[in-house]
Amino acid sequence: MASNVEIGPVRIFDTTLRDGEQSPRTSFSYDEKRRIAATLDDMNTHVIEAGFPVNSDAEFEAVSDIAAATDTTVCGLARVVDGDIDAAIDAGVEMVHVFVSTSDVQLEDSMHATREEAKERAVDAVEHVKDAGVECMFSPMDATRTDPDYLIDIVEAVSDAGTDWINIPDTCGVGMPTSFGETVKAVVEATDARVDVHTHDDFGMAAANAIMGFENGAHQAQVSVNGIGERAGNAAYEEVVMAVESVYGVDTGIDTTQITKLARIVEDASDIPVPANKPVTGRNAFAHESGIHAAGVIENADTFETGVMTPEMVGAEREFVLGKHTGTHSVRKHMVEAGFDPTDSEVRHVTKRVKEYGAGKRQVTAGDVERFAEEANVDRTEEEVRI
């Protein structure tokens, strides 16, 4: 464990199928939603927010079928409107997530309601869900831009109405870790309900804010696979889970060895490419080209990797990339794996060829190394010759 701050227990609420699908130009098919949900379920994700049931007949069917087919808790989203709540309940979800705007800008220019009207609707919605015997989560939307006194006022009101969860959404991604942590702490102190956080990545703070939520008493964080979602997206499932598991030493109960597989499934379905430098699941996350780094990692992976997270933990593989920055250790490794028995001078010669080839912005493959070795008349190992 690399952190001296204790957190936990920790729960993960996945919103890939709801907020994730709200990514611009993204739409999941029925089969894609079912496959993503099945994988999340198999990984022991604590909650799957399957969608917004009132949105369409197709959405209702997908949410309903996911709720019926999965063992984990399935959640449906609803505005503080009776029709929305009834649709979620009729879909058979175990949790209904109701939300209302609480910031003045959204109240005035989106909801066209007063603070008192929003609070009354929130209380009525929570009571509606609880009267149906379903677990309830309430979100004061745009909490981080909401007047702090009013935020606590509405939190206390829905807590008295019986909500099981209070979600604190950083809807527009403006929360910074310290201030967001203070907001979470204030809400935790104001309610007996369990607290959840939903953080957006407009300033690259989503994962950090989710973790700060845990450090300040939140029980659960809402995340999406590959961080997809509105605008710049949400806290990434893989980043939050692995930070909690590896840095804080908390066992989430999630099968992390399926994380890379899950990332690829969502990448294909969303048509949003995973950046090469994406933490945990990017193709460079466990790749090394620099000679100094590769030499260190070949000797001991902890030298230039985190020391608390390995590729095997997330179902990935370590890669030694060949190119302009490659050193002799990496080239020797590739040559030996290709069946050669090189001398030190031969390794240096092939390394020079690799560097020159890579400097031309060309990808250097294992086949190129083999070709360079053959051109240099490097001997094969006895075993390779016999084969």
Side-chain angles (χ1 to χ4, degrees):
M1 186 171 71
S3 173
N4 59 5
V5 179
E6 292 189 7
I7 64 172
V10 166
R11 289 167 50 94
I12 298 297
F13 177 117
D14 183 84
T15 186
T16 305
L17 299 178
R18 199 279 298 171
D19 197 332
E21 192 182 21
Q22 289 176 206
S23 300
R25 295 173 288 279
T26 295
S27 177
F28 297 137
S29 69
Y30 172 87
D31 288 340
E32 288 168 340
K33 293 194 82 159
R34 290 296 302 273
R35 185 183 183 197
I36 293 168
T39 306
L40 289 166
D41 184 32
D42 188 52
M43 292 172 66
N44 301 317
T45 307
H46 302 95
V47 181
I48 299 172
E49 189 169 44
F52 191 12
V54 80
N55 189 52
S56 67
D57 290 342
E59 183 81 346
F60 179 91
E61 179 184 9
V63 173
S64 180
D65 290 350
I66 289 168
T70 54
D71 293 325
T72 193
T73 298
V74 173
C75 177
L77 185 70
R79 294 166 297 185
V80 287
V81 176
D82 287 343
D84 285 25
I85 296 169
D86 288 335
I89 293 169
D90 291 344
V93 299
E94 294 94 344
M95 176 189 291
V96 177
H97 177 190
V98 295
F99 69 96
V100 68
S101 295
T102 53
S103 66
D104 288 335
V105 63
Q106 289 194 1
L107 282 171
E108 293 170 9
D109 297 327
S110 179
M111 278 196 65
H112 306 292
T114 66
R115 289 182 177 183
E116 193 59 33
E117 287 170 339
K119 184 169 71 172
E120 289 175 3
R121 293 180 196 176
V123 169
D124 289 345
V126 170
E127 291 176 343
H128 187 161
V129 175
K130 295 305 297 178
D131 286 346
V134 178
E135 192 171 5
C136 182
M137 173 179 284
F138 170 75
S139 286
M141 188 161 68
D142 207 15
T144 48
R145 297 195 300 174
T146 297
D147 175 76
D149 291 336
Y150 177 58
L151 177 63
I152 297 304
D153 185 28
I154 198 168
V155 163
E156 291 176 342
V158 294
S159 298
D160 290 343
T163 192
D164 301 284
W165 289 90
I166 299 287
N167 173 50
I168 307 172
D170 182 22
T171 304
C172 293
V174 298
M176 296 293 112
T178 299
S179 61
F180 186 71
E182 291 170 352
T183 298
V184 173
K185 185 176 181 180
V187 171
V188 168
E189 292 174 349
T191 182
D192 291 328
R194 287 185 287 178
V195 174
D196 173 269
V197 296
H198 178 107
T199 56
H200 276 272
D201 212 30
D202 296 74
F203 290 97
M205 298 291 168
N209 283 336
I211 296 300
M212 284 302 292
F214 289 137
E215 286 199 0
N216 285 275
H219 303 80
Q220 183 169 271
Q222 298 193 8
V223 298
S224 68
V225 180
N226 299 336
I228 65 172
E230 293 277 5
R231 303 181 315 280
N234 294 269
Y237 182 109
E238 57 279 4
E239 295 174 24
V240 174
V241 170
M242 292 314 298
V244 167
E245 291 262 354
S246 300
V247 179
Y248 290 82
V250 174
D251 182 4
T252 62
I254 289 172
D255 179 5
T256 64
T257 64
Q258 297 192 58
I259 278 180
T260 298
K261 179 184 79 171
L262 174 66
R264 301 296 175 257
I265 291 171
V266 172
E267 180 179 31
D268 290 342
S270 66
D271 201 28
I272 299 174
V274 173
N277 64 336
K278 172 76 175 61
V280 184
T281 56
R283 72 177 187 271
N284 288 350
F286 300 100
H288 305 275
E289 179 179 330
S290 163
I292 294 173
H293 285 223
V297 171
I298 288 170
E299 184 71 25
N300 177 1
D302 290 359
T303 54
F304 287 102
E305 289 183 5
T306 65
V308 290
M309 178 175 65
T310 66
E312 293 79 14
M313 290 169 67
V314 297
E317 294 182 358
R318 183 175 292 107
E319 181 183 8
F320 293 96
V321 179
L322 297 162
K324 176 182 177 181
H325 307 289
T326 297
T328 56
H329 287 77
S330 186
V331 171
R332 180 185 294 277
K333 183 176 187 298
H334 278 83
M335 292 176 73
V336 170
E337 289 175 351
F340 293 97
D341 184 20
T343 64
D344 289 347
S345 63
E346 288 171 338
V347 170
R348 289 194 294 271
H349 172 78
V350 173
T351 300
K352 182 179 179 183
R353 292 287 307 277
V354 168
K355 287 177 174 288
E356 290 171 348
Y357 197 76
K361 297 197 175 185
R362 290 172 291 191
Q363 182 177 355
V364 185
T365 67
D368 292 321
V369 172
E370 188 167 359
R371 175 167 56 86
F372 297 153
E374 289 173 345
E375 291 173 355
N377 296 315
V378 179
D379 290 337
R380 296 274 185 174
T381 61
E382 290 184 11
E383 181 180 352
E384 184 72 14
V385 171
R386 285 198 301 271
I387 292 173

